[in-house]
Amino acid sequence: MINFFVLRGVLSFVLIVLNTLFCFVPVIILAVLKGGLPFPRVRAVLNVILDRIATFWIGVNNINQRYFGRSAIDVTGVNAFEKNEWYMITANHQSWVDILILQRLFNRRIPFIKFFLKRELIWVPFIGLAWWALEFPFMKRYSPELLKKRPELKGKDIEVTKKACEKFQYFPVSIMNFLEGTRFTEEKHRQQSNQYKHLLTPKAGGLSFALNAMNGKLHQLIDVTIVYPEGIPSFFDYLCGNVPKIKVHIRMMPIEPALLGDYQNDAEYRAYFQQWVNDLWLQKDQQFDVMMSGQGFNH
């Protein structure tokens, strides 16, 4: 006998695939058309249309999640946003479910979210090409061993960050950066031996370059803390409805002029920015503790 929850997850996944295929065709056609046009204004208009198709795709997926997943999302903190503002978003990263939660909470409430993605993800069937068409920044990270052998590669991933963000200056956009750079696991946490109980060490460089590449367009940072009280779920667990409750805390803070500077060449600024990011992560770690305890939330 087929487990009811598994059947629900399979149906949910099938609907996501069908929704993806339905939206994939116009996205690729418009992306190819955009790539062949030399007119910046026309390309900008096509970018807006592409983002609206993606917004529709997320909206359908959100209905799917509410019907099949049925997770109760307890959200506290800031709840007012502007659709015509540029936002930088940070969040802790534990599961692929994080992305679904962020899309579910912010779709149509803020400009379309562009995620920084590992370059390998471009090979995900259909979705990878769609991310490319929507101009998501793909990051290629180099291991310390490779950088020792080829020092000329140092900073190349940051150059990609800057080039990608330069495209986002002309119409409102939300840029998502998982500062930890990878999903949390207990093994990774032990290897880092850092000062955080629930988080991996944040990487400050990518965030700094993204802020600076936007030339002052970004005025607000949305910081999201996501907690799964029953344990970190898999993508399929979420689709099956096996994640009864998710806790999310949202806070917003201004991006002050002091947060902009030359990260590569200004040692004083680099130290200041790294300390600011570490303080941000310490506060998030404390917030995580409060949320796990079930006590009142910090606002």
Side-chain angles (χ1 to χ4, degrees):
M1 183 176 180
I2 299 177
N3 183 287
F4 173 74
F5 288 101
V6 172
L7 179 60
R8 193 158 68 181
V10 170
L11 288 174
S12 178
F13 181 75
V14 168
L15 289 175
I16 290 174
V17 171
L18 292 175
N19 183 32
T20 301
L21 293 176
F22 177 78
C23 295
F24 175 79
V25 175
V27 164
I28 294 302
I29 291 173
L30 289 175
V32 172
L33 178 63
K34 183 182 68 172
L37 293 175
F39 311 111
R41 290 188 178 180
V42 176
R43 290 167 61 91
V45 170
L46 290 177
N47 276 331
V48 172
I49 296 173
L50 283 165
D51 284 354
R52 288 182 177 174
I53 295 173
T55 298
F56 168 83
W57 177 78
I58 292 170
V60 173
N61 287 341
N62 287 347
I63 294 172
N64 178 343
Q65 292 169 49
R66 290 188 180 95
Y67 183 78
F68 288 101
R70 301 185 180 182
S71 298
I73 304 179
D74 184 359
V75 183
T76 61
V78 175
N79 196 38
F81 307 98
E82 299 289 338
K83 291 184 178 180
N84 294 318
E85 179 62 273
W86 279 258
Y87 291 109
M88 174 63 71
I89 307 173
T90 62
N92 57 311
H93 194 19
Q94 304 163 88
S95 166
W96 277 95
V97 179
D98 301 338
I99 296 175
L100 297 179
I101 297 303
L102 290 167
Q103 291 177 334
R104 184 167 166 179
L105 293 177
F106 292 117
N107 195 45
R108 301 186 187 278
R109 302 183 67 201
I110 62 176
F112 183 69
I113 300 176
K114 308 279 188 176
F115 288 85
F116 284 93
L117 300 168
K118 294 179 182 178
R119 191 171 181 179
E120 293 80 7
L121 293 177
I122 198 171
W123 302 112
V124 176
F126 299 104
I127 294 289
L129 274 178
W131 283 331
W132 166 80
L134 293 164
E135 297 188 342
F136 280 42
F138 285 93
M139 305 294 295
K140 185 172 183 178
R141 301 192 181 279
Y142 302 101
S143 67
E145 294 77 17
L146 181 60
L147 289 175
K148 286 181 181 179
K149 294 179 181 178
R150 299 186 58 189
E152 73 276 8
L153 294 176
K154 187 176 182 180
K156 287 290 185 181
D157 55 344
I158 300 299
E159 290 178 17
V160 172
T161 303
K162 188 171 183 179
K163 187 175 180 180
C165 289
E166 285 173 352
K167 302 175 183 178
F168 303 152
Q169 297 181 41
Y170 308 107
F171 54 92
V173 68
S174 303
I175 303 174
M176 177 68 222
N177 196 335
F178 288 115
L179 298 190
E180 293 159 304
T182 185
R183 283 168 287 170
F184 178 96
T185 66
E186 292 294 342
E187 178 60 27
K188 293 174 186 175
H189 188 252
R190 281 193 297 271
Q191 290 175 356
Q192 290 188 353
S193 300
N194 63 31
Q195 59 187 319
Y196 313 106
K197 291 174 59 178
H198 309 287
L199 308 170
L200 299 179
T201 304
K203 303 181 189 324
L207 177 61
S208 172
F209 272 78
L211 293 177
N212 283 283
M214 292 299 292
N215 291 328
K217 284 283 189 181
L218 293 165
H219 303 125
Q220 299 289 337
L221 182 138
I222 300 174
D223 180 50
V224 183
T225 303
I226 304 172
V227 172
Y228 302 101
E230 307 298 325
I232 300 173
S234 69
F235 178 76
F236 195 64
D237 283 335
Y238 180 67
L239 296 185
C240 290
N242 291 329
V243 187
K245 190 170 185 178
I246 300 167
K247 293 185 178 182
V248 179
H249 184 73
I250 303 170
R251 62 173 178 162
M252 189 154 55
M253 60 195 72
I255 298 172
E256 304 287 355
L259 295 177
L260 304 180
D262 188 345
Y263 192 86
Q264 281 186 317
N265 302 308
D266 186 340
E268 184 177 349
Y269 163 75
R270 183 167 60 249
Y272 170 80
F273 192 83
Q274 288 174 346
Q275 186 59 55
W276 181 84
V277 169
N278 289 337
D279 290 343
L280 177 71
W281 235 238
L282 281 172
Q283 294 164 18
K284 182 184 289 293
D285 206 39
Q286 294 166 4
Q287 182 68 46
F288 201 113
D289 260 337
V290 172
M291 295 164 74
M292 285 293 290
S293 70
Q295 301 171 6
F297 290 83
N298 298 325
H299 292 275

